[in-house]
Amino acid sequence: MSSERGQFSSRFGFITAATGSAVGLGNIWGFPTQTASHGGGAFVLVYLVLTFLLAYPALMAELIIGRHTRHNMVGALPQLTTRPALKAIGRATGLYGVLIASLILSFYAIVAGWLMAQVPAALVNITGQLTDTNWFAQSSLIRDSLFCALFSVLTAAIVARGVKDGIERWSTRLMPALVLLMLGLVASVLTLPGAMEGLRLYVVPDFGLITDPGLLTSAMGQAFFSLSLGVGTMLVYGSYVSKTDNLPLTGAYVALIDTGIAFLAGLLIIPAMFVAQHRGIKIYSSENTLIAGPDLILQTLPELFNSLGFVGAFIGLIFFLLLSIAALTSSISMLEVPVTFALEQFKISRSRATGLVASVIFSISLLILFNFEQLFGAVITATTKYSQPLLGVFLCVFAGWVLHRDKLLGEISEGFTDVEKSLFWKIWPGYIRFICPLLITIMFVQHIVN
Ligand code: PFF
C-alpha cells in the first residue's frame, strides 16, 4: 500500500514543480495570443497588475490550506471546520475541483498531442523527406488520438512514480531545459527582419484599451489559468511542502517565475508574427485583429518556420519541443489532483490509482475528439472560464472565513517567524476575505452576462 504521503525534498524541488505546473500552454500559447487579440502592451500591463493583486493572494490561499491540512482538496476543506453544513460544502467543493482538474486535463492532452505531433513533423522536415511531413503536420482523428494517448501515457508514467521520484525529478529536469530553449528562441527570432515592429506592439501599451471590460476579465481568467488556481493543484502541491519553508516567499517566486516566462513567451510569439508578416504571411484575420488561437500556433508559425528553410525547420523543432515540455510539467500537476484523491480516499496504491484515473481521463479525451465540434470549446469554456474562478471564490472564502485566524497565522509562521510584523500579514488576510471573492465574483458575473 503506497498511500503514504510524499513530500518535496527541498524548496527548490517545490518551486520547480509548482512553476512546472504554472508554466504551460497558458503561458506560451494563451498569454501571447490573448495579448495579440487585446491590443498588445495594454493587456500585458493589466495582466501583471491582476496577477499580483488577485492571483497571488489566491495562490497563497491554496498553498496554505494544503500545507495546513496535508490532504487533497476533498479531504482538506472539511478539515477546516467542525460545522457539518460547512463540511459538506467543503467536500462538494473539493469534488467539483477534482472533476474540473480532470476535465481540464482531458482537453489539455488533446492540445498537447497536436503540439507533440509537430516534433516528428519538424524532424522529417529537417531530414528533407518532405512527403512524409503531412501525416504528422496535418490533423486527423487517428493522429490526434495516437498523440493524445502518447502524451497521456507520459503524464501517467511520471505521476505513477510519486512526488519526489516522479513529479519533482522530472520538473527539475524539464524546467531548466524549457527556459534555455526559450531564451535561445527569443534571441534568434528578435534578430529577424520585422521582429522590432512586433516588439513595439508588445511592450508599448495602448492606454485607450485599458478600460475595455473584455480586457479586464480576459486578463483575470488568464492569470487564474496560468497559476493553475481553483482546482486543487496548488493545494495538493502545498500539502507536500515542508513546514520549514517560508510559504509567502516561495509562492511569490512561483508567481514571479510564471509571469516572467509568460512575458518571455510574448517576446517570442508576437515578434515572430511580425517576422511572418514581413515574409508575406497573413497575420491579421478578416476582422482585422491579429490571428490567435490554434491557427496562430498550428498554421501561421509553421508557415513562418517553413519559409525560413533548414534553420526554420530547426527553430520549429525546438519550439514544439518547448511547448510539449511545458504541457507535460503542467499535465502531471493536473493528474496529481484526482490521483491523490483516489489514493487517499480509497486507500489504493499510487500506481493503481494513476492507471485507473489516467484511463478514465483518456476516455474523456477520446470522447471529446470524436465529438469535437460539440464538446471541445464547451469543455474549455465550462472549466476555465466558469469553474476555475468560481472555485477560486470558494477557496478564498475557506481560507479567509472558515479557517480560524489563529490557525492561519500559526500555519504561515511555520518557516516565517516574524510574519505578524510583515506586510503580507497586514494585507493578505483582508484581501482573501473581501477583495478577492468580490472581484472574482464580479468577473464571474461579467462572463455570464457577456
Ligand atoms: N497553468 C497551466 C498553464 O498555464 O498552461 C494550466 C493548468 C495547470 C491549469 C494545472 C490548471 C491546473 F490545475
Side-chain angles (χ1 to χ4, degrees), residues 21-22 24-27 104 108 225-228 231 233 330 333-334 388:
S21 168
L25 303 181
N27 301 59
I104 292 179
Y108 208 82
F225 183 72
S226 188
L227 275 178
S228 313
V231 293
T233 299
S330 295
S333 74
M334 292 175 210
Q388 272 193 286

Side-chain angles (χ1 to χ4, degrees), residues 11-48:
R11 185 155 77 140
F12 178 73
F14 166 72
I15 292 175
T16 40
T19 48
S21 168
V23 173
L25 303 181
N27 301 59
I28 303 173
W29 181 336
F31 178 75
T33 53
Q34 294 252 28
T35 304
S37 44
H38 287 101
F43 183 85
V44 178
L45 196 66
V46 172
Y47 176 81
L48 292 179

Side-chain angles (χ1 to χ4, degrees), residues 2-334:
S2 61
S3 61
E4 202 178 278
R5 301 205 100 244
Q7 185 161 326
F8 292 114
S9 62
S10 63
R11 185 155 77 140
F12 178 73
F14 166 72
I15 292 175
T16 40
T19 48
S21 168
V23 173
L25 303 181
N27 301 59
I28 303 173
W29 181 336
F31 178 75
T33 53
Q34 294 252 28
T35 304
S37 44
H38 287 101
F43 183 85
V44 178
L45 196 66
V46 172
Y47 176 81
L48 292 179
V49 171
L50 289 183
T51 295
F52 284 93
L53 288 188
L54 286 175
Y56 168 70
L59 168 70
M60 289 315 303
E62 280 203 36
L63 292 178
I64 289 168
I65 295 176
R67 192 175 70 172
H68 182 65
T69 57
R70 295 268 187 238
H71 243 289
N72 70 83
M73 190 163 159
V74 183
L77 298 183
Q79 265 191 42
L80 304 180
T81 172
T82 49
R83 293 169 53 187
L86 277 178
K87 272 187 184 295
I89 296 174
R91 199 175 156 75
T93 307
L95 286 169
Y96 184 30
V98 170
L99 174 74
I100 297 305
S102 310
L103 287 177
I104 292 179
L105 179 54
S106 70
F107 79 74
Y108 208 82
I110 296 176
V111 178
W114 294 340
L115 301 168
M116 268 178 79
Q118 303 298 323
V119 173
L123 274 175
V124 173
N125 260 349
I126 288 175
T127 54
Q129 298 158 318
L130 284 169
T131 44
D132 291 337
T133 313
N134 281 349
W135 191 83
F136 291 112
Q138 301 297 320
S139 175
S140 68
L141 208 48
I142 174 100
R143 185 209 72 170
D144 295 350
S145 309
L146 282 175
F147 276 89
C148 176
L150 180 64
F151 183 80
S152 305
V153 168
L154 279 178
T155 304
I158 296 176
V159 170
R161 304 184 84 90
V163 180
K164 216 178 282 175
D165 296 335
I167 295 174
E168 180 176 337
R169 176 174 298 168
W170 279 96
S171 302
T172 40
R173 282 176 185 168
L174 295 173
M175 286 307 288
L178 180 136
V179 174
L180 285 179
L181 291 179
M182 179 109 88
L183 287 173
L185 281 179
V186 171
S188 48
V189 166
L190 285 181
T191 59
L192 297 172
M196 287 307 135
E197 198 182 330
L199 189 63
R200 206 166 310 120
L201 175 92
Y202 184 54
V203 295
V204 181
D206 176 351
F207 286 104
L209 288 168
I210 282 189
T211 49
D212 168 12
L215 181 145
L216 273 177
T217 52
S218 301
M220 179 71 205
Q222 176 62 29
F224 265 71
F225 183 72
S226 188
L227 275 178
S228 313
L229 297 178
V231 293
T233 299
M234 288 301 179
L235 191 153
V236 86
Y237 273 17
S239 77
Y240 305 138
V241 173
S242 152
K243 290 277 186 191
T244 57
D245 280 350
N246 177 332
L247 271 187
L249 188 65
T250 312
Y253 282 138
V254 173
L256 272 173
I257 297 171
D258 180 58
T259 313
I261 293 188
F263 188 75
L264 206 57
L267 280 182
L268 171 66
I269 307 270
I270 312 273
M273 289 180 84
F274 284 81
V275 174
Q277 188 183 42
H278 192 80
R279 303 185 72 83
I281 298 167
K282 192 171 148 241
I283 64 165
Y284 283 95
S285 66
S286 46
E287 293 96 51
N288 220 19
T289 53
L290 278 171
I291 291 176
D295 284 352
L296 166 62
I297 302 284
L298 296 167
Q299 225 165 307
T300 312
L301 293 183
E303 268 183 58
L304 166 67
F305 301 144
N306 287 342
S307 80
L308 292 171
F310 180 77
V311 176
F314 201 72
I315 294 182
L317 173 73
I318 296 180
F319 178 69
F320 287 110
L321 201 61
L322 174 88
L323 279 165
S324 306
I325 293 175
L328 191 60
T329 53
S330 295
S331 64
I332 54 181
S333 74
M334 292 175 210

